[in-house]
Amino acid sequence: MAPLRCVTTTAHHSLLGSPTCLASPRRRCPASVRAAVAVQSEAQAKVSLIRIGTRGSPLALAQAHETRDKLKAAHSELAEDGAVEIVIIKTTGDMILDKPLADIGGKGLFTKEIDDALLQGRIDIAVHSMKDVPTYLPEGTILPCNLPREDVRDAFICLTANSLSELPAGSVVGSASLRRQSQILYRYPSLKVVNFRGNVQTRLRKLKEGDVHATLLALAGLKRLNMAETATSVLPVDEMLPAVAQGAIGIACRSNDDQMMNYLSSLNHEDTRLAVACEREFLAVLDGNCRTPIAAYAYRDKDGNCSFRGLLASPDGSIVYETSRTGPYDLDGMVEMGKDAGHELKAKAGPGFFDSLQ
């Protein structure tokens, strides 16, 4: 009879995914083999409990790290090394940088590939800048969590002037946002606004190289990158109304994943969630896209009520419609407030206004 041998197969344990050592019960595997298998089993046992999907820009990663840190602080099982993994996913908006967003077309330019990964089970949760999230969510996903909102204002950055009002006529301001462009040109028609894309660091480099005289960036992003000192000044909301959901982080998961929903619900900041819902309802009624300058801001005022302001404009700033509302700070009332404000501006603008933006 042939001598018994220890055979290590490629069979895997159904839970841990570790190789299984198969040997005759009358002879044990050599100690070195057992030790190697034990080490591999231990390493593979440390599989991630949560895989976070995110874009790869420094700001997106900062937001993913913030999410990871909050999860670890709230749930002891997630504090173990390797329990939370960050998965970088390139989106259409990241890959096409030489065209204005409006010319690329479509919604979800910075979210679609991440949503696809979520639905395919390659990630467990998706971290988004809420201002990038379309007003509809893909079927099979849910967004149960908004982290506490950062400062919603825009930062003015310039090497030669302290504010937009100080820029000489003909100065070039770089911005990929039609919302910013329209409000700049509405107040300062002598300025010129050009397409200016890239992440925060890229735009700051282009500014220093003299491609433009000034630019605007979301103060929230600068703060999350610990770069707030980069701002020359901060524009008041009365002068530059923010984008819908600006400064808010949203975290999505699959709608049938109760465990992830429980994790995310523990992080949700309800005041932010309600404000974002109000603003997004306003946007949904207007069916805004990258060709439509739309701005909105809902917040809890000193009396505890919801104050809302909304804006619809033409890209050149020649036409601006504005509205405001105040009401109770509750979900149903705020959703209705955003919807009502959207219908008001849609009626004011008329169908011809939107046709002209196509």
Side-chain angles (χ1 to χ4, degrees):
M1 177 181 296
L4 292 175
R5 293 183 302 120
C6 174
V7 181
T8 301
T9 78
T10 56
H12 284 70
H13 189 288
S14 61
L15 293 179
L16 300 183
S18 57
T20 304
C21 181
L22 303 178
S24 163
R26 289 183 296 170
R27 246 183 110 175
R28 301 184 65 193
C29 293
S32 60
V33 174
R34 295 199 307 273
V37 171
V39 169
Q40 187 171 359
S41 297
E42 181 181 0
Q44 292 191 6
K46 292 182 178 179
V47 295
S48 302
L49 299 178
I50 298 182
R51 295 161 299 169
I52 300 176
T54 176
R55 296 168 59 202
S57 72
L59 177 55
L61 288 173
Q63 295 178 162
H65 290 153
E66 180 180 343
T67 301
R68 179 198 63 190
D69 294 346
K70 287 181 181 294
L71 284 167
K72 285 176 173 285
H75 302 279
S76 58
E77 70 272 23
L78 300 180
E80 298 290 330
D81 287 345
V84 182
E85 178 188 0
I86 292 176
V87 180
I88 296 174
I89 299 168
K90 269 203 167 185
T91 67
T92 302
D94 296 315
M95 292 183 277
I96 304 176
L97 296 173
D98 59 344
K99 296 180 181 178
L101 293 175
D103 291 348
I104 301 174
K107 297 181 180 180
L109 292 173
F110 295 105
T111 60
K112 184 183 182 302
E113 286 79 5
I114 299 175
D115 291 334
D116 289 345
L118 182 61
L119 289 168
Q120 293 163 9
R122 291 186 282 124
I123 58 174
D124 302 300
I125 63 175
V127 177
H128 298 297
S129 291
M130 279 303 301
K131 65 180 179 60
D132 294 333
V133 178
T135 51
Y136 63 89
L137 296 176
E139 186 176 352
T141 70
I142 189 172
L143 206 156
C145 176
N146 288 122
L147 298 186
R149 196 173 197 174
E150 246 298 355
D151 198 315
V152 303
R153 295 174 295 172
D154 281 324
F156 172 77
I157 305 173
C158 182
L159 304 178
T160 59
N162 293 316
S163 65
L164 285 166
S165 61
E166 290 185 12
L167 288 173
S171 294
V172 178
V173 181
S175 177
S177 162
L178 291 182
R179 170 190 65 86
R180 290 179 178 133
Q181 173 181 305
S182 65
Q183 292 185 79
I184 290 171
L185 296 178
Y186 173 63
R187 290 179 171 81
Y188 308 102
S190 65
L191 300 179
K192 181 181 179 182
V193 181
V194 298
N195 183 53
F196 198 60
R197 292 196 54 210
N199 62 35
V200 171
Q201 289 77 4
T202 298
R203 282 182 272 181
L204 291 176
R205 174 179 55 78
K206 289 181 178 179
L207 173 66
K208 290 180 180 179
E209 291 173 352
D211 289 13
V212 295
H213 297 109
T215 190
L216 303 185
L217 294 172
L219 183 58
L222 293 177
K223 286 189 172 185
R224 290 188 174 119
L225 289 168
N226 295 313
M227 296 174 63
E229 74 283 353
T230 305
T232 305
S233 61
V234 178
L235 302 180
V237 171
D238 288 343
E239 181 177 346
M240 182 63 63
L241 200 62
V244 167
Q246 183 161 316
I249 295 172
I251 312 174
C253 66
R254 289 179 292 277
S255 52
N256 62 356
D257 194 334
D258 292 340
Q259 184 178 22
M260 292 303 138
M261 278 195 274
N262 288 335
Y263 279 138
L264 296 183
S265 295
S266 70
L267 303 188
N268 181 57
H269 187 257
E270 191 66 1
D271 266 21
T272 298
R273 187 178 77 90
L274 298 189
V276 166
C278 178
E279 295 168 20
R280 282 169 61 81
E281 195 65 32
F282 172 76
L283 180 65
V285 169
L286 294 172
D287 193 27
N289 55 44
C290 289
R291 296 187 183 277
T292 316
I294 295 173
Y297 180 37
Y299 65 98
R300 188 187 290 273
D301 63 25
K302 57 182 177 58
D303 297 319
N305 293 318
C306 174
S307 286
F308 172 84
R309 286 185 57 204
L311 176 147
L312 172 67
S314 60
D316 64 2
S318 62
I319 303 172
V320 174
Y321 301 103
E322 295 184 82
T323 187
S324 61
R325 300 280 193 286
T326 302
Y329 208 99
D330 63 69
L331 180 60
D332 290 343
M334 291 169 69
V335 166
E336 190 59 36
M337 185 186 299
K339 185 182 299 184
D340 184 63
H343 282 301
E344 178 194 333
L345 294 195
K346 194 170 187 176
K348 282 184 176 178
F353 175 83
F354 294 93
D355 293 342
S356 67
L357 301 179
Q358 299 305 313

